[in-house]
Amino acid sequence: MNFELTASMMCANYGNLEQEVMALEEGGIDSFHIDIMDGRYVPNFAMSLNDMRYIAGATSKPLDVHLMIEEPIRYVEEFQKAGADIITVHLEACSDVKATLEKIKACGAKAAISICPDTPVAELEPYVELVDMVLIMSVHPGFGGQSFIPSSLEKIRETRALLDRVNSTADIEVD
């Protein structure tokens, strides 16, 4: 089993973003996790397309862009063009999950799907063959500093079993 360390940029010092990126790279991170929140799907705002562009220009590490926005299909191309290597969308935020994942792949990014703590893993089943990664939320999306939800451990095990059952090579990410 391989593990990678992805640095969440949601709590970065925006006044010193370039130095934050450099310090994280020197610390050995494998990629950057960029949370985009629209204030609608989640009741908070975090980072923007411009913030992501800045980070993309400051690193050659992969950018894992987590779209916590309503109907993310509308913005997939913009984020991919701005440097997103992986685009994660919430199953609960898409009216057409399959079309959204297919658009991500058509744009040239890796497709990832996320589920909230209250969403059963079984709801992922129709989509696991379309994704490169599954993100299990171990907190409720939209706010930093929350405590880990212990039942997430069982969801991770269920997700691994589901991926194994369909012979998927998709990664599992935990946020």
PDB file of all heavy atoms in Angstrom, residues 133-150:
ATOM      1  N   MET A 133      -9.932   8.427  -8.506  1.00  0.00           N
ATOM      2  CA  MET A 133      -9.779   8.576  -7.067  1.00  0.00           C
ATOM      3  C   MET A 133     -11.153   8.755  -6.425  1.00  0.00           C
ATOM      4  O   MET A 133     -12.056   9.335  -7.032  1.00  0.00           O
ATOM      5  CB  MET A 133      -8.899   9.795  -6.747  1.00  0.00           C
ATOM      6  CG  MET A 133      -8.589   9.969  -5.273  1.00  0.00           C
ATOM      7  SD  MET A 133      -7.383  11.284  -4.976  1.00  0.00           S
ATOM      8  CE  MET A 133      -8.347  12.739  -5.352  1.00  0.00           C
ATOM      9  N   VAL A 134     -11.275   8.265  -5.186  1.00  0.00           N
ATOM     10  CA  VAL A 134     -12.471   8.479  -4.369  1.00  0.00           C
ATOM     11  C   VAL A 134     -12.017   9.215  -3.123  1.00  0.00           C
ATOM     12  O   VAL A 134     -11.073   8.794  -2.451  1.00  0.00           O
ATOM     13  CB  VAL A 134     -13.144   7.144  -3.973  1.00  0.00           C
ATOM     14  CG1 VAL A 134     -14.317   7.392  -3.034  1.00  0.00           C
ATOM     15  CG2 VAL A 134     -13.598   6.380  -5.210  1.00  0.00           C
ATOM     16  N   LEU A 135     -12.687  10.323  -2.833  1.00  0.00           N
ATOM     17  CA  LEU A 135     -12.388  11.114  -1.640  1.00  0.00           C
ATOM     18  C   LEU A 135     -13.463  10.867  -0.598  1.00  0.00           C
ATOM     19  O   LEU A 135     -14.644  11.123  -0.835  1.00  0.00           O
ATOM     20  CB  LEU A 135     -12.335  12.607  -1.982  1.00  0.00           C
ATOM     21  CG  LEU A 135     -12.243  13.588  -0.821  1.00  0.00           C
ATOM     22  CD1 LEU A 135     -10.999  13.355   0.012  1.00  0.00           C
ATOM     23  CD2 LEU A 135     -12.275  15.016  -1.342  1.00  0.00           C
ATOM     24  N   ILE A 136     -13.037  10.343   0.542  1.00  0.00           N
ATOM     25  CA  ILE A 136     -13.948  10.126   1.662  1.00  0.00           C
ATOM     26  C   ILE A 136     -13.806  11.315   2.610  1.00  0.00           C
ATOM     27  O   ILE A 136     -12.718  11.583   3.123  1.00  0.00           O
ATOM     28  CB  ILE A 136     -13.613   8.809   2.413  1.00  0.00           C
ATOM     29  CG1 ILE A 136     -13.712   7.608   1.473  1.00  0.00           C
ATOM     30  CG2 ILE A 136     -14.497   8.650   3.642  1.00  0.00           C
ATOM     31  CD1 ILE A 136     -15.071   7.364   0.875  1.00  0.00           C
ATOM     32  N   MET A 137     -14.891  12.020   2.811  1.00  0.00           N
ATOM     33  CA  MET A 137     -14.875  13.144   3.748  1.00  0.00           C
ATOM     34  C   MET A 137     -14.992  12.590   5.168  1.00  0.00           C
ATOM     35  O   MET A 137     -15.952  11.902   5.492  1.00  0.00           O
ATOM     36  CB  MET A 137     -16.025  14.111   3.459  1.00  0.00           C
ATOM     37  CG  MET A 137     -15.919  14.839   2.134  1.00  0.00           C
ATOM     38  SD  MET A 137     -14.458  15.896   1.989  1.00  0.00           S
ATOM     39  CE  MET A 137     -14.748  17.106   3.284  1.00  0.00           C
ATOM     40  N   SER A 138     -14.005  12.910   5.989  1.00  0.00           N
ATOM     41  CA  SER A 138     -14.017  12.469   7.379  1.00  0.00           C
ATOM     42  C   SER A 138     -14.491  13.587   8.302  1.00  0.00           C
ATOM     43  O   SER A 138     -14.437  13.463   9.521  1.00  0.00           O
ATOM     44  CB  SER A 138     -12.625  11.994   7.794  1.00  0.00           C
ATOM     45  OG  SER A 138     -11.714  13.077   7.749  1.00  0.00           O
ATOM     46  N   VAL A 139     -14.926  14.672   7.683  1.00  0.00           N
ATOM     47  CA  VAL A 139     -15.557  15.814   8.354  1.00  0.00           C
ATOM     48  C   VAL A 139     -16.658  16.303   7.419  1.00  0.00           C
ATOM     49  O   VAL A 139     -16.706  15.909   6.257  1.00  0.00           O
ATOM     50  CB  VAL A 139     -14.555  16.959   8.638  1.00  0.00           C
ATOM     51  CG1 VAL A 139     -13.471  16.522   9.614  1.00  0.00           C
ATOM     52  CG2 VAL A 139     -13.934  17.478   7.341  1.00  0.00           C
ATOM     53  N   HIS A 140     -17.511  17.168   7.905  1.00  0.00           N
ATOM     54  CA  HIS A 140     -18.535  17.741   7.033  1.00  0.00           C
ATOM     55  C   HIS A 140     -17.879  18.837   6.191  1.00  0.00           C
ATOM     56  O   HIS A 140     -17.157  19.688   6.733  1.00  0.00           O
ATOM     57  CB  HIS A 140     -19.706  18.284   7.859  1.00  0.00           C
ATOM     58  CG  HIS A 140     -20.460  17.182   8.531  1.00  0.00           C
ATOM     59  ND1 HIS A 140     -21.365  16.387   7.864  1.00  0.00           N
ATOM     60  CD2 HIS A 140     -20.407  16.711   9.793  1.00  0.00           C
ATOM     61  CE1 HIS A 140     -21.844  15.484   8.689  1.00  0.00           C
ATOM     62  NE2 HIS A 140     -21.279  15.645   9.871  1.00  0.00           N
ATOM     63  N   PRO A 141     -18.087  18.831   4.882  1.00  0.00           N
ATOM     64  CA  PRO A 141     -17.395  19.791   4.023  1.00  0.00           C
ATOM     65  C   PRO A 141     -17.806  21.228   4.314  1.00  0.00           C
ATOM     66  O   PRO A 141     -18.942  21.505   4.661  1.00  0.00           O
ATOM     67  CB  PRO A 141     -17.817  19.378   2.608  1.00  0.00           C
ATOM     68  CG  PRO A 141     -19.060  18.599   2.773  1.00  0.00           C
ATOM     69  CD  PRO A 141     -18.994  17.966   4.133  1.00  0.00           C
ATOM     70  N   GLY A 142     -16.827  22.108   4.191  1.00  0.00           N
ATOM     71  CA  GLY A 142     -17.109  23.531   4.293  1.00  0.00           C
ATOM     72  C   GLY A 142     -16.420  24.271   5.409  1.00  0.00           C
ATOM     73  O   GLY A 142     -16.378  25.497   5.400  1.00  0.00           O
ATOM     74  N   PHE A 143     -15.836  23.561   6.362  1.00  0.00           N
ATOM     75  CA  PHE A 143     -15.198  24.234   7.488  1.00  0.00           C
ATOM     76  C   PHE A 143     -13.927  23.503   7.898  1.00  0.00           C
ATOM     77  O   PHE A 143     -13.917  22.274   7.982  1.00  0.00           O
ATOM     78  CB  PHE A 143     -16.143  24.279   8.702  1.00  0.00           C
ATOM     79  CG  PHE A 143     -17.399  25.055   8.436  1.00  0.00           C
ATOM     80  CD1 PHE A 143     -18.551  24.411   8.020  1.00  0.00           C
ATOM     81  CD2 PHE A 143     -17.428  26.435   8.576  1.00  0.00           C
ATOM     82  CE1 PHE A 143     -19.708  25.114   7.759  1.00  0.00           C
ATOM     83  CE2 PHE A 143     -18.579  27.148   8.316  1.00  0.00           C
ATOM     84  CZ  PHE A 143     -19.719  26.489   7.908  1.00  0.00           C
ATOM     85  N   GLY A 144     -12.872  24.245   8.185  1.00  0.00           N
ATOM     86  CA  GLY A 144     -11.644  23.666   8.700  1.00  0.00           C
ATOM     87  C   GLY A 144     -11.746  23.474  10.207  1.00  0.00           C
ATOM     88  O   GLY A 144     -12.660  23.984  10.856  1.00  0.00           O
ATOM     89  N   GLY A 145     -10.815  22.726  10.759  1.00  0.00           N
ATOM     90  CA  GLY A 145     -10.706  22.581  12.199  1.00  0.00           C
ATOM     91  C   GLY A 145     -11.697  21.640  12.857  1.00  0.00           C
ATOM     92  O   GLY A 145     -11.816  21.630  14.076  1.00  0.00           O
ATOM     93  N   GLN A 146     -12.395  20.827  12.092  1.00  0.00           N
ATOM     94  CA  GLN A 146     -13.360  19.891  12.672  1.00  0.00           C
ATOM     95  C   GLN A 146     -12.660  18.638  13.181  1.00  0.00           C
ATOM     96  O   GLN A 146     -11.574  18.296  12.737  1.00  0.00           O
ATOM     97  CB  GLN A 146     -14.389  19.472  11.616  1.00  0.00           C
ATOM     98  CG  GLN A 146     -15.230  20.592  11.076  1.00  0.00           C
ATOM     99  CD  GLN A 146     -16.175  20.072  10.015  1.00  0.00           C
ATOM    100  OE1 GLN A 146     -17.032  19.249  10.291  1.00  0.00           O
ATOM    101  NE2 GLN A 146     -15.989  20.541   8.781  1.00  0.00           N
ATOM    102  N   SER A 147     -13.336  17.941  14.072  1.00  0.00           N
ATOM    103  CA  SER A 147     -12.828  16.664  14.568  1.00  0.00           C
ATOM    104  C   SER A 147     -13.140  15.551  13.576  1.00  0.00           C
ATOM    105  O   SER A 147     -14.192  15.551  12.939  1.00  0.00           O
ATOM    106  CB  SER A 147     -13.474  16.324  15.913  1.00  0.00           C
ATOM    107  OG  SER A 147     -13.094  17.271  16.879  1.00  0.00           O
ATOM    108  N   PHE A 148     -12.229  14.606  13.480  1.00  0.00           N
ATOM    109  CA  PHE A 148     -12.375  13.432  12.633  1.00  0.00           C
ATOM    110  C   PHE A 148     -13.614  12.646  13.068  1.00  0.00           C
ATOM    111  O   PHE A 148     -13.835  12.424  14.256  1.00  0.00           O
ATOM    112  CB  PHE A 148     -11.119  12.568  12.772  1.00  0.00           C
ATOM    113  CG  PHE A 148     -11.140  11.287  12.004  1.00  0.00           C
ATOM    114  CD1 PHE A 148     -10.836  11.272  10.655  1.00  0.00           C
ATOM    115  CD2 PHE A 148     -11.460  10.086  12.627  1.00  0.00           C
ATOM    116  CE1 PHE A 148     -10.842  10.076   9.943  1.00  0.00           C
ATOM    117  CE2 PHE A 148     -11.467   8.889  11.931  1.00  0.00           C
ATOM    118  CZ  PHE A 148     -11.156   8.896  10.578  1.00  0.00           C
ATOM    119  N   ILE A 149     -14.414  12.224  12.097  1.00  0.00           N
ATOM    120  CA  ILE A 149     -15.605  11.412  12.374  1.00  0.00           C
ATOM    121  C   ILE A 149     -15.169   9.945  12.350  1.00  0.00           C
ATOM    122  O   ILE A 149     -14.803   9.419  11.290  1.00  0.00           O
ATOM    123  CB  ILE A 149     -16.712  11.683  11.336  1.00  0.00           C
ATOM    124  CG1 ILE A 149     -17.148  13.154  11.405  1.00  0.00           C
ATOM    125  CG2 ILE A 149     -17.896  10.742  11.556  1.00  0.00           C
ATOM    126  CD1 ILE A 149     -18.071  13.587  10.284  1.00  0.00           C
ATOM    127  N   PRO A 150     -15.170   9.257  13.512  1.00  0.00           N
ATOM    128  CA  PRO A 150     -14.647   7.889  13.587  1.00  0.00           C
ATOM    129  C   PRO A 150     -15.284   6.902  12.610  1.00  0.00           C
ATOM    130  O   PRO A 150     -14.605   5.991  12.125  1.00  0.00           O
ATOM    131  CB  PRO A 150     -14.923   7.476  15.037  1.00  0.00           C
ATOM    132  CG  PRO A 150     -14.964   8.768  15.787  1.00  0.00           C
ATOM    133  CD  PRO A 150     -15.578   9.764  14.829  1.00  0.00           C
TER     134      PRO A 150
END
